[in-house]
Amino acid sequence: MAAGIYANTLGHGYVLDDKAIITQNSFTQQGFAGISEHFTHSYWFGINGKDEGNYRPISGVSFSIERAVFGTSPAVGHFFNMLFYALLCVVLLRWLLMLQLFSPLLTFGAVLLFAAHPVHTEVVANIKSRDEIYCMLFFVLSAIQFQKWLNDKKPIQLGMTGFFFLLSMLSKETSIALLLIFPLLAFRSKPIMMDSIKSSLVPLATVVVYLSMYFSVTDLLADRQYHVFDNALVQSAAVSDILATKFWILGDYIRLLFIPYPLVYDYSFNTIPVVTFSNLQVLITIVLLLALVVWRGRQFKHRLESTSQNTTLMLALFILPLFPVSNFFITIGTTMAERLLFMPSLGFVLLFIYGLSKLFGKLKLPAEKLSLLSISVLVALASLTTMTRNKAWASDEVLFSTDLKHLTDNAKVHHNLANIYKAKAEKATNQAQKVTFYESAARLIEQASSIYEVQEFHHELGLIYGELGKWEGVKKSMGRYLEMNPNDATAWMQLGIAYGISQEMPAALSAFEKAYAINPKDADICLNLAKTYAMLNRLTDSKNICDGCLQIAPENQELLQLNAQLAQSLGL
């Protein structure tokens, strides 16, 4: 079933960071030859040449092998995502059956609900996010081996526990937080705290091995300065309001697990506005957290009972993988992301089924039958929602345009879609189509700039208006860009051209003079300044500029021609 739900992604292309990790990544494109490079450099080194943050060699190796064997094929990448996701669900079923949290039928229902949950679409439908699948797959394999070791005490099982746990961390760093699952598993087997800790020494040693590998290559990026387009929580706001917004985000994660709509690919500025502690969702989230603390406090005296141990494990599976990506303690490179719910969703599903069974039991109804019936309905609805959402991940253009309907206040998404239309305009041979694409791009960038102003938006907008021959737009956009970045000689020249075409010669001259002052060795700037001087009948100034520029570009035909005309006019 897990594979069937995602079968409609097989015809999709590369989307978002697939390019950075696969098609444009120098290590991945080397095929087999690039495998060792993934282990000796950070995750993004193959695209940006920087060894900083995110050490995830396993998925990189996987993509290199695919490249060597199958070439660059998105269909193959989507097939393996689908295959490994299905494999994860199989091993997850085996592990949960070993844990005996529920009856076999309810356990099977739990895995079906996990497999169908729509919040997983970003992970499975986006090839790059295979790191999430590998991370969870190898952790579950590690937990299976650990559970076997608790029962059989075979050294090979403990060795495989460490091996798979290392692979999990080498797939994605967040599985370090799952280290605490091992003593919880041990405590279920033998409820003595010190024995549980001792039983977890191999996983602990594995974390030390991983960290030594990590820090030999990269760093934690704990002091990295993120842009609001990466993480909106770095914007300038009161500390209390930023904290309240973090609680709002936590509440929205919980909401998405219950009601996975709308699903979107980006949560950057200003999808989630800064809120205060008076916000209703913030208050509800805090009340839920306090209720959880009270509940667990009351359960503490029953900690030796299997039910209490089971619920503790379920809570841990929900909370621990969410902890390092919550932005509460470490600022990460995103405000919020659905892929970050991939592992926590397992704990949520288990808690949901536990709560459902308890509810039906308290109502003195047939708990298992009604729970299974409820799960069946939810799986059907979730499967339909997932297959529908998959369609949005067909390409960048489809994804951006689909999600823009829900991201009207997101500057980054408007800009991303504008880049798609701009690229289409540059390739279009039909003039009408070219104009249509440029106009669409301009509208989107205008909207992006109204949400969050950055100089790049004004610069791009000025260039687009130039292509459209809308010189008032060029003057406005380039003028604002140059207020923010006054040392761009080329932009001053482009502004001068716009003024010149508009027959505003004094303004054109001022712009060309500023360009020339910044870069007097640019032949185009010299030529435009010389022409403007000539048009204003300042022939000597024009000749001086030509003479100086011909020292740099002696073969520039336009300069030579203008210089000859000036010499004749001046009687030289």
Side-chain angles (χ1 to χ4, degrees):
M1 189 194 84
I5 291 172
Y6 288 95
N8 63 344
T9 65
L10 291 175
H12 291 182
Y14 291 115
V15 179
L16 294 178
D17 287 340
D18 287 348
K19 289 96 168 173
I21 300 302
I22 303 171
T23 61
Q24 297 171 11
N25 190 288
S26 60
F27 298 159
T28 302
Q29 291 303 304
Q30 290 177 43
F32 291 129
I35 289 177
S36 62
E37 301 286 1
H38 289 296
F39 282 100
T40 56
H41 292 286
S42 68
Y43 189 54
W44 300 101
F45 189 94
I47 188 68
N48 65 15
K50 296 179 181 179
D51 270 325
E52 52 183 26
N54 295 347
Y55 181 55
R56 305 172 188 173
I58 297 301
S59 58
V61 168
S62 172
F63 296 137
S64 285
I65 293 172
E66 282 179 32
R67 173 68 176 81
V69 177
F70 302 103
T72 302
S73 169
V76 171
H78 285 295
F79 171 77
F80 279 115
N81 266 33
M82 188 176 69
L83 179 67
F84 284 116
Y85 184 61
L87 179 60
L88 165 61
C89 292
V90 171
V91 299
L92 182 58
L93 176 61
R94 184 180 180 189
W95 183 42
L96 295 180
L97 287 172
M98 291 172 69
L99 293 177
Q100 298 181 351
L101 301 174
F102 311 116
S103 69
L105 276 177
L106 276 182
T107 300
F108 184 69
V111 174
L112 288 181
L113 189 54
F114 173 85
H117 203 299
V119 84
H120 297 168
T121 50
E122 180 179 359
V123 169
V124 188
N126 185 199
I127 301 171
K128 167 265 169 191
S129 290
R130 195 182 303 166
D131 53 0
E132 299 278 0
I133 300 174
Y134 283 155
C135 181
M136 189 170 183
L137 171 63
F138 289 126
F139 172 75
V140 174
L141 288 171
S142 175
I144 289 173
Q145 292 300 316
F146 188 70
Q147 194 67 46
K148 286 182 176 180
W149 176 78
L150 290 172
N151 297 330
D152 304 334
K153 300 298 181 184
K154 294 180 180 179
I156 184 65
Q157 294 165 341
L158 195 56
M160 294 303 291
T161 297
F163 173 70
F164 284 126
F165 191 37
L166 180 61
L167 290 181
S168 177
M169 290 181 286
L170 290 173
S171 298
K172 193 174 182 185
E173 308 86 350
T174 49
S175 63
I176 292 177
L178 297 175
L179 173 64
L180 294 177
I181 296 295
F182 295 101
L184 290 177
L185 293 173
F187 193 79
R188 292 175 78 252
S189 178
K190 186 178 181 181
I192 300 174
M193 186 62 67
M194 286 307 299
D195 286 355
S196 300
I197 294 172
K198 290 178 182 177
S199 297
S200 306
L201 289 178
V202 166
L204 177 60
T206 305
V207 169
V208 174
V209 171
Y210 168 75
L211 290 176
S212 66
M213 296 174 67
Y214 185 104
F215 287 115
S216 69
V217 171
T218 184
D219 57 64
L220 286 174
L221 283 183
D223 59 347
R224 178 170 176 176
Q225 298 299 309
Y226 290 105
H227 193 278
V228 293
F229 287 174
D230 299 314
N231 189 330
L233 293 170
V234 303
Q235 66 184 283
S236 193
V239 173
S240 61
D241 292 348
I242 293 295
L243 180 60
T245 306
K246 292 178 181 180
F247 278 108
W248 189 97
I249 292 169
L250 181 60
D252 216 46
Y253 274 138
I254 295 170
R255 179 193 66 79
L256 278 174
L257 289 168
F258 278 104
I259 307 171
Y261 181 87
L263 295 175
V264 294
Y265 82 93
D266 187 84
Y267 288 84
S268 62
F269 190 91
N270 194 29
T271 300
I272 302 173
V274 172
V275 298
T276 66
F277 276 102
S278 63
N279 180 274
L280 181 60
Q281 183 161 309
V282 173
L283 294 173
I284 292 172
T285 303
I286 292 173
V287 169
L288 285 174
L289 293 174
L290 290 174
L292 179 62
V293 170
V294 171
W295 175 53
R296 295 315 299 163
R298 289 181 176 178
Q299 290 289 312
F300 184 75
K301 62 183 178 181
H302 303 295
R303 63 189 180 279
L304 300 182
E305 299 176 7
S306 61
T307 300
S308 179
Q309 292 172 5
N310 287 346
T311 53
T312 299
L313 179 61
M314 295 177 205
L315 274 171
L317 287 170
F318 173 60
I319 294 171
L320 291 177
L322 196 56
F323 173 82
V325 297
S326 66
N327 277 303
F328 272 99
F329 304 98
I330 299 175
T331 301
I332 63 171
T334 184
T335 314
M336 176 179 175
E338 290 154 18
R339 65 183 179 276
L340 303 182
L341 283 176
F342 185 64
M343 286 198 288
S345 66
L346 171 61
F348 167 80
V349 166
L350 297 176
L351 287 167
F352 177 78
I353 291 175
Y354 170 78
L356 202 62
S357 299
K358 292 289 287 184
L359 176 63
F360 289 136
K362 284 188 177 294
L363 295 174
K364 301 189 182 306
L365 297 171
E368 180 157 331
K369 288 183 179 179
L370 288 176
S371 294
L372 286 170
L373 178 61
S374 301
I375 291 169
S376 300
V377 172
L378 289 173
V379 167
L381 292 173
S383 298
L384 181 61
T385 303
T386 297
M387 289 187 287
T388 301
R389 175 59 182 166
N390 286 343
K391 297 175 183 178
W393 287 87
S395 67
D396 280 341
E397 183 178 357
V398 174
L399 183 64
F400 300 163
S401 57
T402 299
D403 287 6
L404 190 63
K405 301 168 188 173
H406 304 292
L407 297 171
T408 54
D409 293 323
N410 187 305
K412 185 177 179 180
V413 173
H414 281 84
H415 184 238
N416 285 348
L417 185 57
N419 285 337
I420 295 288
Y421 289 136
K422 188 170 68 171
K424 282 190 164 188
E426 290 167 355
K427 294 178 181 177
T429 54
N430 180 283
Q431 185 60 28
Q433 284 186 334
K434 185 184 287 286
V435 168
T436 298
F437 288 136
Y438 272 133
E439 286 179 340
S440 297
R443 283 193 297 271
L444 288 162
I445 297 177
E446 288 274 18
Q447 184 62 29
S449 187
S450 71
I451 297 168
Y452 190 86
E453 185 183 34
V454 292
Q455 62 185 36
E456 289 82 359
F457 290 169
H458 293 294
H459 187 252
E460 291 175 24
L461 201 53
L463 295 176
I464 290 172
Y465 281 136
E467 293 290 342
L468 291 169
K470 295 184 176 182
W471 305 112
E472 290 302 316
V474 176
K475 288 185 284 185
K476 178 183 175 182
S477 298
M478 280 299 179
R480 179 57 183 144
Y481 166 71
L482 287 164
E483 287 177 14
M484 303 171 77
N485 183 22
N487 295 316
D488 188 330
T490 303
W492 280 114
M493 181 183 71
Q494 291 161 338
L495 181 61
I497 291 170
Y499 278 121
I501 292 174
S502 302
Q503 296 300 307
E504 299 177 54
M505 301 314 296
L509 178 61
S510 176
F512 289 135
E513 285 179 333
K514 288 175 181 176
Y516 183 76
I518 296 168
N519 186 6
K521 296 184 179 180
D522 185 288
D524 289 331
I525 291 174
C526 291
L527 180 61
N528 279 291
L529 179 57
K531 282 182 176 180
T532 305
Y533 276 139
M535 292 175 70
L536 292 170
N537 207 32
R538 293 173 58 176
L539 302 185
T540 302
D541 290 331
S542 181
K543 183 71 168 63
N544 290 337
I545 293 295
C546 280
D547 289 341
C549 199
L550 283 169
Q551 300 296 317
I552 302 164
E555 297 181 3
N556 188 300
Q557 293 301 310
E558 284 190 86
L559 278 169
L560 288 169
Q561 184 178 0
L562 177 60
N563 194 48
Q565 292 171 351
L566 289 167
Q568 184 178 3
S569 299
L570 291 167
L572 300 175

